[in-house]
Amino acid sequence: MLAYRHAFHAGNHADVLKHLVLTRVLRYMGEKDKPYTLIDTHAGAGGYSVEGRYAQKNAEYATGIAKLYDDVDELPAPLADYVGLVRAFNPDGQLRQYPGSPAIANFVLRDTDRLRAYELHPTDHRILATYLEARPNTQVSDRDGFAAIKAELPSPTRRAALLMDPPYEIKTDYAKVLSALREALERAADTVTMIWYPQLQLLESTQLVQRLKASADAAAKKGWLHVRLTVTQADEKGFGMMGSGMFIANPPFTLHDELAECLPLLVERLGQYGGANFVLEQKAA
């Protein structure tokens, strides 16, 4: 697991969907004066060069953020807000770096909001700790983010958001995500819990969403929302990531309509074959 480096995938279609959702959730939570806590279980390095050898290997950003970066004025407002954060991470205007979830959070969170970032990879942890060292109310840890939920919830701020986006390189991540959702909701039933997952032709992947829905049905105070963006097909052997999804327990009531405004354009811009599509569904508590 420690071999995983997100730099290979930074700025791809999955990052676009994940960080659009993250930005909307954090914006919503910031509308109230009282501070909140963001817990990021798999935080990564904070930012990634799209000009470096990792990102250039497959140039996944070219069919992701690069399809949106230069047209911010033409985008729906929620999408333009997210792309604007990516542009702010590139002060000379050229797409050279892509902000990970901690950098997105660093732009959006207020000084009074708490950030708890977990990253096991020693190099990424070191980079992240340096990047966030000046931010108040922030802790960066090299401990297991899944295991940290017990210590983080319930939060001293009462309001909390939890982001889980493991690499799923080992199949046990699917069971860990499900267990973590259950634990988070058991400890604080109104926690806004965001779970990213890859869309694969793999039993664990196809079953995950239904299991997440069942857990949220049982414990989430404000229901759930599920969004999936399919951009390509699996190869002839059934391998490859076709797209990705986000499952959100206790979503902001504004999130469904904001995503509905953006998803048709994301299919148009990021789709790599004629069958590209999206799914958007929600269930109130």
Side-chain angles (χ1 to χ4, degrees), residues 10 19 38 64 101 134 153 164 194 209 231 242 251 267 280:
H19 291 145
L38 173 64
S101 51
L153 293 173
M164 294 186 279
M194 298 167 277
V209 173
V231 299
M242 300 173 287
V267 168
L280 180 61

Side-chain angles (χ1 to χ4, degrees), residues 75-152:
L75 303 176
L79 199 53
D81 183 28
Y82 149 67
V83 174
L85 298 179
V86 180
R87 294 189 67 88
F89 202 64
N90 291 272
D92 73 351
Q94 298 298 311
L95 179 56
R96 305 184 191 279
Q97 302 179 86
Y98 185 80
S101 51
I104 297 286
N106 192 37
F107 279 124
V108 179
L109 268 62
R110 303 158 298 186
D111 286 351
T112 53
D113 298 322
R114 299 166 76 247
L115 175 60
R116 299 294 181 263
Y118 292 85
E119 177 52 50
L120 283 171
H121 195 287
T123 302
D124 286 355
H125 171 263
R126 187 168 61 251
I127 295 169
L128 181 62
T130 300
Y131 171 65
L132 291 174
E133 63 183 355
R135 192 191 181 279
N137 292 308
T138 298
Q139 290 181 9
V140 179
S141 173
D142 60 359
R143 292 183 291 134
D144 177 18
F146 286 134
I149 291 172
K150 186 175 182 179
E152 295 289 359

Side-chain angles (χ1 to χ4, degrees), residues 21-22 25-26 29 36-42 116 118 145-150 152-153 155 159-165 176-177 179-185 187-188 190-196 246-250:
V21 170
L22 176 63
V25 167
L26 298 185
M29 296 192 73
Y36 65 92
T37 298
L38 173 64
I39 305 154
D40 190 342
T41 62
H42 296 75
R116 299 294 181 263
Y118 292 85
F146 286 134
I149 291 172
K150 186 175 182 179
E152 295 289 359
L153 293 173
S155 167
R159 294 194 305 138
L162 171 63
L163 174 64
M164 294 186 279
D165 61 333
K176 286 181 177 179
V177 157
S179 177
L181 173 65
R182 290 170 177 166
E183 181 172 26
L185 296 178
R187 300 186 68 82
D190 56 353
T191 301
V192 182
T193 305
M194 298 167 277
I195 297 169
W196 174 86
M246 290 287 284
F247 182 86
I248 304 96
N250 299 308

